[in-house]
């Protein structure tokens, strides 16, 4: 990890716009002074399960995975953080250690905001409290849906759901079909709660059925309607 130890002297308003708009001038000044930017290399751990939370984090560049290590060293990816999303703060609000781990999917830049500062700002600004209530509620809803999908659906349904999840949350490239996030087969398997070998076989089946096309880690969605049908049927 390379710590820039940099204060927020860049255009913060364009980077953390929603929270930035909620804060007044004094609160923005506090945030600038107390936060710092840290850079993480690909696959580098940002925080680990059982650690005590000290900072709220906002991803500025790159992508980050939130995951839990399961039986036999196999991981389950809970969600993927994209730029200008906040993470790492739920455990602090709950006054408990982290129940998950976070690592950089690719070289990433993260804004680290001390939780003591976050709590101070929330106490002084009710609108900020409502913002985090909304974010936690959204995350809980997504988590509930993913739990049902990953425990009740068959392999085809789980993989189809994961591909659509990536499309809906991370978008497509300029061709309007290729997923803008490139995952290793193992990561896609971990996101779908299946073994890597099952993920590879199912992807090959989807290719033969012309539901997707693949070029290395690039996945192009060819028949979104059918993928949604497979996901829905489970």
């Amino acid at each position: 990890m390379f710590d820039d130890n940099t204060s927020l002297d860049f255009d913060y308003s364009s980077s953390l716009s929603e929270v930035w708009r909620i804060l007044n001038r004094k609160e923005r000044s506090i945030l600038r002074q107390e936060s710092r930017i840290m850079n993480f290399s690909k696959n580098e751990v940002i925080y680990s399960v059982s650690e005590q939370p000290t900072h709220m984090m906002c991803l500025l560049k790159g992508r980050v995975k939130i995951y839990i290590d399961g039986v036999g060293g196999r991981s389950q990816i809970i969600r993927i953080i994209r730029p200008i999303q906040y993470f790492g703060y739920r455990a602090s609000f709950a006054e408990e250690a982290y129940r998950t781990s976070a690592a950089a999917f690719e070289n990433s830049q993260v804004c680290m905001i001390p939780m003591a500062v976050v709590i101070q700002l929330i106490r002084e600004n009710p609108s900020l409290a409502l913002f985090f209530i909304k974010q936690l509620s959204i995350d809980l809803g997504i988590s509930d849906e993913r739990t049902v999908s990953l425990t009740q659906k068959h392999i085809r349904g789980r993989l189809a759901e994961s591909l659509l999840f990536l499309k809906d949350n991370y978008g497509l490239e300029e061709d309007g079909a290729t997923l803008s996030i490139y995952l290793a087969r193992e990561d896609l398997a971990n996101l779908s709660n299946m073994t890597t070998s099952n993920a590879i076989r199912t992807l090959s089946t989807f290719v033969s059925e012309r539901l997707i096309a693949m070029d290395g880690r690039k996945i192009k969605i060819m028949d979104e309607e059918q993928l949604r049908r497979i996901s829905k049927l489970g």
Side-chain angles (χ1 to χ4, degrees), residues 60-94:
L60 302 179
K61 297 178 182 178
R63 287 189 174 87
V64 168
K65 64 179 178 180
I66 309 298
Y67 65 97
I68 296 175
D69 287 324
V71 178
R74 183 175 150 204
S75 296
Q76 173 64 57
I77 296 177
I78 306 301
R79 65 183 186 276
I80 301 173
I81 306 298
R82 62 180 185 273
I84 322 305
Q85 284 189 324
Y86 296 85
F87 65 102
Y89 59 89
R90 187 212 61 82
S92 182
F93 285 155

PDB file of all heavy atoms in Angstrom, residues 60-94:
ATOM      1  N   LEU A  60     -12.400   6.449  -4.726  1.00  0.00           N
ATOM      2  CA  LEU A  60     -12.259   7.518  -5.715  1.00  0.00           C
ATOM      3  C   LEU A  60     -11.946   6.967  -7.098  1.00  0.00           C
ATOM      4  O   LEU A  60     -12.479   7.442  -8.098  1.00  0.00           O
ATOM      5  CB  LEU A  60     -11.155   8.488  -5.283  1.00  0.00           C
ATOM      6  CG  LEU A  60     -11.341   9.163  -3.923  1.00  0.00           C
ATOM      7  CD1 LEU A  60     -10.167  10.077  -3.621  1.00  0.00           C
ATOM      8  CD2 LEU A  60     -12.652   9.929  -3.867  1.00  0.00           C
ATOM      9  N   LYS A  61     -11.070   5.963  -7.156  1.00  0.00           N
ATOM     10  CA  LYS A  61     -10.703   5.338  -8.430  1.00  0.00           C
ATOM     11  C   LYS A  61     -10.547   3.841  -8.222  1.00  0.00           C
ATOM     12  O   LYS A  61     -10.141   3.391  -7.151  1.00  0.00           O
ATOM     13  CB  LYS A  61      -9.382   5.917  -8.954  1.00  0.00           C
ATOM     14  CG  LYS A  61      -9.414   7.407  -9.270  1.00  0.00           C
ATOM     15  CD  LYS A  61      -8.044   7.888  -9.731  1.00  0.00           C
ATOM     16  CE  LYS A  61      -8.035   9.380  -9.994  1.00  0.00           C
ATOM     17  NZ  LYS A  61      -6.677   9.864 -10.393  1.00  0.00           N
ATOM     18  N   GLY A  62     -10.827   3.069  -9.271  1.00  0.00           N
ATOM     19  CA  GLY A  62     -10.660   1.628  -9.205  1.00  0.00           C
ATOM     20  C   GLY A  62     -11.926   0.912  -8.794  1.00  0.00           C
ATOM     21  O   GLY A  62     -13.025   1.454  -8.894  1.00  0.00           O
ATOM     22  N   ARG A  63     -11.774  -0.313  -8.286  1.00  0.00           N
ATOM     23  CA  ARG A  63     -12.899  -1.109  -7.782  1.00  0.00           C
ATOM     24  C   ARG A  63     -12.422  -1.920  -6.590  1.00  0.00           C
ATOM     25  O   ARG A  63     -11.283  -2.371  -6.543  1.00  0.00           O
ATOM     26  CB  ARG A  63     -13.467  -2.029  -8.870  1.00  0.00           C
ATOM     27  CG  ARG A  63     -14.268  -1.271  -9.940  1.00  0.00           C
ATOM     28  CD  ARG A  63     -14.983  -2.208 -10.871  1.00  0.00           C
ATOM     29  NE  ARG A  63     -15.852  -1.495 -11.778  1.00  0.00           N
ATOM     30  CZ  ARG A  63     -15.467  -0.980 -12.947  1.00  0.00           C
ATOM     31  NH1 ARG A  63     -14.214  -1.122 -13.336  1.00  0.00           N
ATOM     32  NH2 ARG A  63     -16.319  -0.345 -13.719  1.00  0.00           N
ATOM     33  N   VAL A  64     -13.332  -2.134  -5.653  1.00  0.00           N
ATOM     34  CA  VAL A  64     -13.023  -2.841  -4.408  1.00  0.00           C
ATOM     35  C   VAL A  64     -14.058  -3.926  -4.189  1.00  0.00           C
ATOM     36  O   VAL A  64     -15.246  -3.713  -4.448  1.00  0.00           O
ATOM     37  CB  VAL A  64     -13.026  -1.851  -3.219  1.00  0.00           C
ATOM     38  CG1 VAL A  64     -13.013  -2.594  -1.887  1.00  0.00           C
ATOM     39  CG2 VAL A  64     -11.836  -0.901  -3.309  1.00  0.00           C
ATOM     40  N   LYS A  65     -13.624  -5.091  -3.719  1.00  0.00           N
ATOM     41  CA  LYS A  65     -14.568  -6.159  -3.398  1.00  0.00           C
ATOM     42  C   LYS A  65     -14.690  -6.296  -1.888  1.00  0.00           C
ATOM     43  O   LYS A  65     -13.714  -6.199  -1.147  1.00  0.00           O
ATOM     44  CB  LYS A  65     -14.136  -7.488  -4.018  1.00  0.00           C
ATOM     45  CG  LYS A  65     -12.817  -8.041  -3.500  1.00  0.00           C
ATOM     46  CD  LYS A  65     -12.506  -9.380  -4.161  1.00  0.00           C
ATOM     47  CE  LYS A  65     -11.152  -9.937  -3.705  1.00  0.00           C
ATOM     48  NZ  LYS A  65     -10.834 -11.235  -4.337  1.00  0.00           N
ATOM     49  N   ILE A  66     -15.923  -6.487  -1.438  1.00  0.00           N
ATOM     50  CA  ILE A  66     -16.221  -6.813  -0.048  1.00  0.00           C
ATOM     51  C   ILE A  66     -16.513  -8.303  -0.015  1.00  0.00           C
ATOM     52  O   ILE A  66     -17.379  -8.786  -0.756  1.00  0.00           O
ATOM     53  CB  ILE A  66     -17.443  -6.023   0.470  1.00  0.00           C
ATOM     54  CG1 ILE A  66     -17.277  -4.521   0.182  1.00  0.00           C
ATOM     55  CG2 ILE A  66     -17.651  -6.279   1.954  1.00  0.00           C
ATOM     56  CD1 ILE A  66     -16.115  -3.872   0.853  1.00  0.00           C
ATOM     57  N   TYR A  67     -15.824  -9.049   0.839  1.00  0.00           N
ATOM     58  CA  TYR A  67     -15.933 -10.501   0.772  1.00  0.00           C
ATOM     59  C   TYR A  67     -15.789 -11.138   2.148  1.00  0.00           C
ATOM     60  O   TYR A  67     -15.344 -10.503   3.112  1.00  0.00           O
ATOM     61  CB  TYR A  67     -14.874 -11.073  -0.175  1.00  0.00           C
ATOM     62  CG  TYR A  67     -13.450 -10.855   0.300  1.00  0.00           C
ATOM     63  CD1 TYR A  67     -12.764 -11.857   0.980  1.00  0.00           C
ATOM     64  CD2 TYR A  67     -12.791  -9.654   0.072  1.00  0.00           C
ATOM     65  CE1 TYR A  67     -11.466 -11.666   1.423  1.00  0.00           C
ATOM     66  CE2 TYR A  67     -11.489  -9.452   0.507  1.00  0.00           C
ATOM     67  CZ  TYR A  67     -10.829 -10.457   1.186  1.00  0.00           C
ATOM     68  OH  TYR A  67      -9.547 -10.256   1.637  1.00  0.00           O
ATOM     69  N   ILE A  68     -16.196 -12.407   2.209  1.00  0.00           N
ATOM     70  CA  ILE A  68     -16.038 -13.223   3.408  1.00  0.00           C
ATOM     71  C   ILE A  68     -15.310 -14.500   3.006  1.00  0.00           C
ATOM     72  O   ILE A  68     -15.658 -15.135   2.006  1.00  0.00           O
ATOM     73  CB  ILE A  68     -17.402 -13.583   4.034  1.00  0.00           C
ATOM     74  CG1 ILE A  68     -18.114 -12.323   4.522  1.00  0.00           C
ATOM     75  CG2 ILE A  68     -17.229 -14.566   5.195  1.00  0.00           C
ATOM     76  CD1 ILE A  68     -19.515 -12.590   5.049  1.00  0.00           C
ATOM     77  N   ASP A  69     -14.288 -14.893   3.756  1.00  0.00           N
ATOM     78  CA  ASP A  69     -13.592 -16.150   3.500  1.00  0.00           C
ATOM     79  C   ASP A  69     -14.406 -17.304   4.063  1.00  0.00           C
ATOM     80  O   ASP A  69     -14.787 -17.300   5.237  1.00  0.00           O
ATOM     81  CB  ASP A  69     -12.201 -16.137   4.133  1.00  0.00           C
ATOM     82  CG  ASP A  69     -11.236 -15.238   3.383  1.00  0.00           C
ATOM     83  OD1 ASP A  69     -11.339 -15.193   2.142  1.00  0.00           O
ATOM     84  OD2 ASP A  69     -10.402 -14.583   4.030  1.00  0.00           O
ATOM     85  N   GLY A  70     -14.676 -18.292   3.210  1.00  0.00           N
ATOM     86  CA  GLY A  70     -15.485 -19.422   3.624  1.00  0.00           C
ATOM     87  C   GLY A  70     -14.660 -20.668   3.883  1.00  0.00           C
ATOM     88  O   GLY A  70     -13.451 -20.606   4.110  1.00  0.00           O
ATOM     89  N   VAL A  71     -15.331 -21.800   3.813  1.00  0.00           N
ATOM     90  CA  VAL A  71     -14.690 -23.086   4.077  1.00  0.00           C
ATOM     91  C   VAL A  71     -13.692 -23.414   2.975  1.00  0.00           C
ATOM     92  O   VAL A  71     -13.940 -23.177   1.801  1.00  0.00           O
ATOM     93  CB  VAL A  71     -15.762 -24.202   4.176  1.00  0.00           C
ATOM     94  CG1 VAL A  71     -15.096 -25.564   4.408  1.00  0.00           C
ATOM     95  CG2 VAL A  71     -16.739 -23.886   5.288  1.00  0.00           C
ATOM     96  N   GLY A  72     -12.536 -23.956   3.375  1.00  0.00           N
ATOM     97  CA  GLY A  72     -11.540 -24.388   2.413  1.00  0.00           C
ATOM     98  C   GLY A  72     -10.858 -23.248   1.677  1.00  0.00           C
ATOM     99  O   GLY A  72     -10.336 -23.441   0.576  1.00  0.00           O
ATOM    100  N   GLY A  73     -10.865 -22.050   2.259  1.00  0.00           N
ATOM    101  CA  GLY A  73     -10.205 -20.920   1.622  1.00  0.00           C
ATOM    102  C   GLY A  73     -10.987 -20.277   0.507  1.00  0.00           C
ATOM    103  O   GLY A  73     -10.487 -19.371  -0.165  1.00  0.00           O
ATOM    104  N   ARG A  74     -12.209 -20.750   0.285  1.00  0.00           N
ATOM    105  CA  ARG A  74     -13.038 -20.187  -0.780  1.00  0.00           C
ATOM    106  C   ARG A  74     -13.738 -18.934  -0.281  1.00  0.00           C
ATOM    107  O   ARG A  74     -14.303 -18.913   0.805  1.00  0.00           O
ATOM    108  CB  ARG A  74     -14.064 -21.228  -1.231  1.00  0.00           C
ATOM    109  CG  ARG A  74     -14.949 -20.783  -2.389  1.00  0.00           C
ATOM    110  CD  ARG A  74     -15.825 -21.935  -2.829  1.00  0.00           C
ATOM    111  NE  ARG A  74     -17.081 -21.443  -3.373  1.00  0.00           N
ATOM    112  CZ  ARG A  74     -18.192 -22.152  -3.421  1.00  0.00           C
ATOM    113  NH1 ARG A  74     -18.195 -23.369  -2.909  1.00  0.00           N
ATOM    114  NH2 ARG A  74     -19.280 -21.657  -3.939  1.00  0.00           N
ATOM    115  N   SER A  75     -13.709 -17.879  -1.083  1.00  0.00           N
ATOM    116  CA  SER A  75     -14.305 -16.607  -0.690  1.00  0.00           C
ATOM    117  C   SER A  75     -15.700 -16.449  -1.281  1.00  0.00           C
ATOM    118  O   SER A  75     -16.010 -17.023  -2.321  1.00  0.00           O
ATOM    119  CB  SER A  75     -13.427 -15.441  -1.152  1.00  0.00           C
ATOM    120  OG  SER A  75     -12.172 -15.468  -0.514  1.00  0.00           O
ATOM    121  N   GLN A  76     -16.505 -15.668  -0.593  1.00  0.00           N
ATOM    122  CA  GLN A  76     -17.812 -15.274  -1.109  1.00  0.00           C
ATOM    123  C   GLN A  76     -17.805 -13.760  -1.233  1.00  0.00           C
ATOM    124  O   GLN A  76     -17.671 -13.050  -0.234  1.00  0.00           O
ATOM    125  CB  GLN A  76     -18.933 -15.711  -0.180  1.00  0.00           C
ATOM    126  CG  GLN A  76     -20.313 -15.182  -0.567  1.00  0.00           C
ATOM    127  CD  GLN A  76     -20.768 -15.725  -1.911  1.00  0.00           C
ATOM    128  OE1 GLN A  76     -20.852 -16.935  -2.104  1.00  0.00           O
ATOM    129  NE2 GLN A  76     -21.057 -14.837  -2.846  1.00  0.00           N
ATOM    130  N   ILE A  77     -17.915 -13.258  -2.462  1.00  0.00           N
ATOM    131  CA  ILE A  77     -17.972 -11.818  -2.666  1.00  0.00           C
ATOM    132  C   ILE A  77     -19.366 -11.318  -2.327  1.00  0.00           C
ATOM    133  O   ILE A  77     -20.361 -11.784  -2.885  1.00  0.00           O
ATOM    134  CB  ILE A  77     -17.599 -11.445  -4.112  1.00  0.00           C
ATOM    135  CG1 ILE A  77     -16.141 -11.837  -4.395  1.00  0.00           C
ATOM    136  CG2 ILE A  77     -17.800  -9.947  -4.353  1.00  0.00           C
ATOM    137  CD1 ILE A  77     -15.704 -11.584  -5.821  1.00  0.00           C
ATOM    138  N   ILE A  78     -19.436 -10.384  -1.397  1.00  0.00           N
ATOM    139  CA  ILE A  78     -20.713  -9.832  -0.962  1.00  0.00           C
ATOM    140  C   ILE A  78     -21.185  -8.743  -1.917  1.00  0.00           C
ATOM    141  O   ILE A  78     -22.339  -8.720  -2.341  1.00  0.00           O
ATOM    142  CB  ILE A  78     -20.602  -9.257   0.467  1.00  0.00           C
ATOM    143  CG1 ILE A  78     -20.041 -10.313   1.421  1.00  0.00           C
ATOM    144  CG2 ILE A  78     -21.953  -8.741   0.945  1.00  0.00           C
ATOM    145  CD1 ILE A  78     -20.876 -11.571   1.512  1.00  0.00           C
ATOM    146  N   ARG A  79     -20.292  -7.831  -2.237  1.00  0.00           N
ATOM    147  CA  ARG A  79     -20.615  -6.798  -3.214  1.00  0.00           C
ATOM    148  C   ARG A  79     -19.325  -6.189  -3.740  1.00  0.00           C
ATOM    149  O   ARG A  79     -18.248  -6.410  -3.193  1.00  0.00           O
ATOM    150  CB  ARG A  79     -21.527  -5.716  -2.628  1.00  0.00           C
ATOM    151  CG  ARG A  79     -20.949  -4.884  -1.520  1.00  0.00           C
ATOM    152  CD  ARG A  79     -22.017  -3.910  -1.003  1.00  0.00           C
ATOM    153  NE  ARG A  79     -21.492  -2.978  -0.019  1.00  0.00           N
ATOM    154  CZ  ARG A  79     -21.359  -3.235   1.268  1.00  0.00           C
ATOM    155  NH1 ARG A  79     -21.704  -4.426   1.733  1.00  0.00           N
ATOM    156  NH2 ARG A  79     -20.888  -2.326   2.093  1.00  0.00           N
ATOM    157  N   ILE A  80     -19.462  -5.414  -4.795  1.00  0.00           N
ATOM    158  CA  ILE A  80     -18.325  -4.750  -5.413  1.00  0.00           C
ATOM    159  C   ILE A  80     -18.568  -3.244  -5.344  1.00  0.00           C
ATOM    160  O   ILE A  80     -19.620  -2.752  -5.741  1.00  0.00           O
ATOM    161  CB  ILE A  80     -18.139  -5.204  -6.868  1.00  0.00           C
ATOM    162  CG1 ILE A  80     -17.933  -6.723  -6.927  1.00  0.00           C
ATOM    163  CG2 ILE A  80     -16.958  -4.488  -7.509  1.00  0.00           C
ATOM    164  CD1 ILE A  80     -17.904  -7.289  -8.325  1.00  0.00           C
ATOM    165  N   ILE A  81     -17.585  -2.532  -4.822  1.00  0.00           N
ATOM    166  CA  ILE A  81     -17.689  -1.088  -4.671  1.00  0.00           C
ATOM    167  C   ILE A  81     -17.141  -0.414  -5.929  1.00  0.00           C
ATOM    168  O   ILE A  81     -16.059  -0.755  -6.413  1.00  0.00           O
ATOM    169  CB  ILE A  81     -16.889  -0.599  -3.445  1.00  0.00           C
ATOM    170  CG1 ILE A  81     -17.332  -1.373  -2.178  1.00  0.00           C
ATOM    171  CG2 ILE A  81     -17.058   0.907  -3.247  1.00  0.00           C
ATOM    172  CD1 ILE A  81     -18.775  -1.182  -1.811  1.00  0.00           C
ATOM    173  N   ARG A  82     -17.892   0.540  -6.447  1.00  0.00           N
ATOM    174  CA  ARG A  82     -17.429   1.312  -7.595  1.00  0.00           C
ATOM    175  C   ARG A  82     -17.136   2.752  -7.150  1.00  0.00           C
ATOM    176  O   ARG A  82     -17.513   3.144  -6.051  1.00  0.00           O
ATOM    177  CB  ARG A  82     -18.462   1.293  -8.716  1.00  0.00           C
ATOM    178  CG  ARG A  82     -19.810   1.907  -8.398  1.00  0.00           C
ATOM    179  CD  ARG A  82     -20.741   1.804  -9.613  1.00  0.00           C
ATOM    180  NE  ARG A  82     -22.002   2.471  -9.395  1.00  0.00           N
ATOM    181  CZ  ARG A  82     -23.066   1.905  -8.836  1.00  0.00           C
ATOM    182  NH1 ARG A  82     -22.999   0.642  -8.449  1.00  0.00           N
ATOM    183  NH2 ARG A  82     -24.185   2.590  -8.682  1.00  0.00           N
ATOM    184  N   PRO A  83     -16.460   3.538  -7.986  1.00  0.00           N
ATOM    185  CA  PRO A  83     -16.086   4.895  -7.580  1.00  0.00           C
ATOM    186  C   PRO A  83     -17.250   5.739  -7.069  1.00  0.00           C
ATOM    187  O   PRO A  83     -18.372   5.665  -7.573  1.00  0.00           O
ATOM    188  CB  PRO A  83     -15.489   5.483  -8.859  1.00  0.00           C
ATOM    189  CG  PRO A  83     -14.887   4.291  -9.540  1.00  0.00           C
ATOM    190  CD  PRO A  83     -15.875   3.178  -9.284  1.00  0.00           C
ATOM    191  N   ILE A  84     -16.950   6.485  -6.042  1.00  0.00           N
ATOM    192  CA  ILE A  84     -17.843   7.388  -5.317  1.00  0.00           C
ATOM    193  C   ILE A  84     -18.939   6.608  -4.609  1.00  0.00           C
ATOM    194  O   ILE A  84     -20.096   7.028  -4.551  1.00  0.00           O
ATOM    195  CB  ILE A  84     -18.427   8.506  -6.212  1.00  0.00           C
ATOM    196  CG1 ILE A  84     -17.364   8.986  -7.195  1.00  0.00           C
ATOM    197  CG2 ILE A  84     -18.889   9.665  -5.351  1.00  0.00           C
ATOM    198  CD1 ILE A  84     -16.070   9.428  -6.533  1.00  0.00           C
ATOM    199  N   GLN A  85     -18.576   5.448  -4.079  1.00  0.00           N
ATOM    200  CA  GLN A  85     -19.419   4.722  -3.138  1.00  0.00           C
ATOM    201  C   GLN A  85     -18.666   4.622  -1.816  1.00  0.00           C
ATOM    202  O   GLN A  85     -17.441   4.519  -1.791  1.00  0.00           O
ATOM    203  CB  GLN A  85     -19.764   3.319  -3.655  1.00  0.00           C
ATOM    204  CG  GLN A  85     -20.817   3.309  -4.740  1.00  0.00           C
ATOM    205  CD  GLN A  85     -21.293   1.901  -5.059  1.00  0.00           C
ATOM    206  OE1 GLN A  85     -20.519   0.941  -5.037  1.00  0.00           O
ATOM    207  NE2 GLN A  85     -22.560   1.775  -5.376  1.00  0.00           N
ATOM    208  N   TYR A  86     -19.431   4.649  -0.727  1.00  0.00           N
ATOM    209  CA  TYR A  86     -18.861   4.599   0.620  1.00  0.00           C
ATOM    210  C   TYR A  86     -18.905   3.169   1.144  1.00  0.00           C
ATOM    211  O   TYR A  86     -19.816   2.409   0.834  1.00  0.00           O
ATOM    212  CB  TYR A  86     -19.639   5.522   1.556  1.00  0.00           C
ATOM    213  CG  TYR A  86     -19.544   6.975   1.173  1.00  0.00           C
ATOM    214  CD1 TYR A  86     -20.398   7.511   0.219  1.00  0.00           C
ATOM    215  CD2 TYR A  86     -18.588   7.804   1.751  1.00  0.00           C
ATOM    216  CE1 TYR A  86     -20.300   8.846  -0.158  1.00  0.00           C
ATOM    217  CE2 TYR A  86     -18.488   9.135   1.388  1.00  0.00           C
ATOM    218  CZ  TYR A  86     -19.352   9.654   0.431  1.00  0.00           C
ATOM    219  OH  TYR A  86     -19.251  10.968   0.053  1.00  0.00           O
ATOM    220  N   PHE A  87     -17.919   2.811   1.965  1.00  0.00           N
ATOM    221  CA  PHE A  87     -17.893   1.467   2.540  1.00  0.00           C
ATOM    222  C   PHE A  87     -17.074   1.491   3.816  1.00  0.00           C
ATOM    223  O   PHE A  87     -16.367   2.457   4.121  1.00  0.00           O
ATOM    224  CB  PHE A  87     -17.337   0.449   1.531  1.00  0.00           C
ATOM    225  CG  PHE A  87     -15.888   0.651   1.144  1.00  0.00           C
ATOM    226  CD1 PHE A  87     -14.885  -0.136   1.697  1.00  0.00           C
ATOM    227  CD2 PHE A  87     -15.526   1.620   0.209  1.00  0.00           C
ATOM    228  CE1 PHE A  87     -13.554   0.041   1.335  1.00  0.00           C
ATOM    229  CE2 PHE A  87     -14.197   1.806  -0.153  1.00  0.00           C
ATOM    230  CZ  PHE A  87     -13.207   1.017   0.404  1.00  0.00           C
ATOM    231  N   GLY A  88     -17.185   0.412   4.594  1.00  0.00           N
ATOM    232  CA  GLY A  88     -16.380   0.252   5.795  1.00  0.00           C
ATOM    233  C   GLY A  88     -16.899   0.951   7.028  1.00  0.00           C
ATOM    234  O   GLY A  88     -16.208   0.995   8.047  1.00  0.00           O
ATOM    235  N   TYR A  89     -18.122   1.480   6.975  1.00  0.00           N
ATOM    236  CA  TYR A  89     -18.621   2.260   8.111  1.00  0.00           C
ATOM    237  C   TYR A  89     -19.695   1.547   8.929  1.00  0.00           C
ATOM    238  O   TYR A  89     -19.960   1.925  10.066  1.00  0.00           O
ATOM    239  CB  TYR A  89     -19.157   3.618   7.647  1.00  0.00           C
ATOM    240  CG  TYR A  89     -20.281   3.552   6.640  1.00  0.00           C
ATOM    241  CD1 TYR A  89     -21.604   3.486   7.047  1.00  0.00           C
ATOM    242  CD2 TYR A  89     -20.029   3.576   5.279  1.00  0.00           C
ATOM    243  CE1 TYR A  89     -22.646   3.434   6.132  1.00  0.00           C
ATOM    244  CE2 TYR A  89     -21.045   3.519   4.350  1.00  0.00           C
ATOM    245  CZ  TYR A  89     -22.360   3.453   4.771  1.00  0.00           C
ATOM    246  OH  TYR A  89     -23.382   3.392   3.855  1.00  0.00           O
ATOM    247  N   ARG A  90     -20.325   0.510   8.380  1.00  0.00           N
ATOM    248  CA  ARG A  90     -21.421  -0.156   9.085  1.00  0.00           C
ATOM    249  C   ARG A  90     -20.966  -0.716  10.425  1.00  0.00           C
ATOM    250  O   ARG A  90     -21.647  -0.567  11.455  1.00  0.00           O
ATOM    251  CB  ARG A  90     -21.998  -1.287   8.224  1.00  0.00           C
ATOM    252  CG  ARG A  90     -23.250  -1.936   8.815  1.00  0.00           C
ATOM    253  CD  ARG A  90     -23.355  -3.409   8.456  1.00  0.00           C
ATOM    254  NE  ARG A  90     -22.233  -4.181   8.968  1.00  0.00           N
ATOM    255  CZ  ARG A  90     -22.166  -4.626  10.215  1.00  0.00           C
ATOM    256  NH1 ARG A  90     -23.133  -4.377  11.096  1.00  0.00           N
ATOM    257  NH2 ARG A  90     -21.108  -5.326  10.613  1.00  0.00           N
ATOM    258  N   ALA A  91     -19.800  -1.362  10.429  1.00  0.00           N
ATOM    259  CA  ALA A  91     -19.304  -1.980  11.664  1.00  0.00           C
ATOM    260  C   ALA A  91     -19.083  -0.940  12.755  1.00  0.00           C
ATOM    261  O   ALA A  91     -19.351  -1.193  13.931  1.00  0.00           O
ATOM    262  CB  ALA A  91     -18.005  -2.733  11.380  1.00  0.00           C
ATOM    263  N   SER A  92     -18.620   0.233  12.364  1.00  0.00           N
ATOM    264  CA  SER A  92     -18.399   1.287  13.358  1.00  0.00           C
ATOM    265  C   SER A  92     -19.714   1.755  13.953  1.00  0.00           C
ATOM    266  O   SER A  92     -19.825   1.937  15.170  1.00  0.00           O
ATOM    267  CB  SER A  92     -17.659   2.470  12.717  1.00  0.00           C
ATOM    268  OG  SER A  92     -17.398   3.469  13.681  1.00  0.00           O
ATOM    269  N   PHE A  93     -20.723   1.941  13.112  1.00  0.00           N
ATOM    270  CA  PHE A  93     -22.040   2.343  13.613  1.00  0.00           C
ATOM    271  C   PHE A  93     -22.605   1.277  14.559  1.00  0.00           C
ATOM    272  O   PHE A  93     -23.295   1.595  15.529  1.00  0.00           O
ATOM    273  CB  PHE A  93     -23.019   2.564  12.460  1.00  0.00           C
ATOM    274  CG  PHE A  93     -22.783   3.843  11.707  1.00  0.00           C
ATOM    275  CD1 PHE A  93     -23.191   3.960  10.390  1.00  0.00           C
ATOM    276  CD2 PHE A  93     -22.174   4.927  12.299  1.00  0.00           C
ATOM    277  CE1 PHE A  93     -22.989   5.139   9.682  1.00  0.00           C
ATOM    278  CE2 PHE A  93     -21.957   6.113  11.606  1.00  0.00           C
ATOM    279  CZ  PHE A  93     -22.372   6.220  10.289  1.00  0.00           C
ATOM    280  N   ALA A  94     -22.306   0.005  14.276  1.00  0.00           N
ATOM    281  CA  ALA A  94     -22.798  -1.099  15.099  1.00  0.00           C
ATOM    282  C   ALA A  94     -21.916  -1.340  16.326  1.00  0.00           C
ATOM    283  O   ALA A  94     -22.238  -2.193  17.161  1.00  0.00           O
ATOM    284  CB  ALA A  94     -22.874  -2.379  14.270  1.00  0.00           C
TER     285      ALA A  94
END
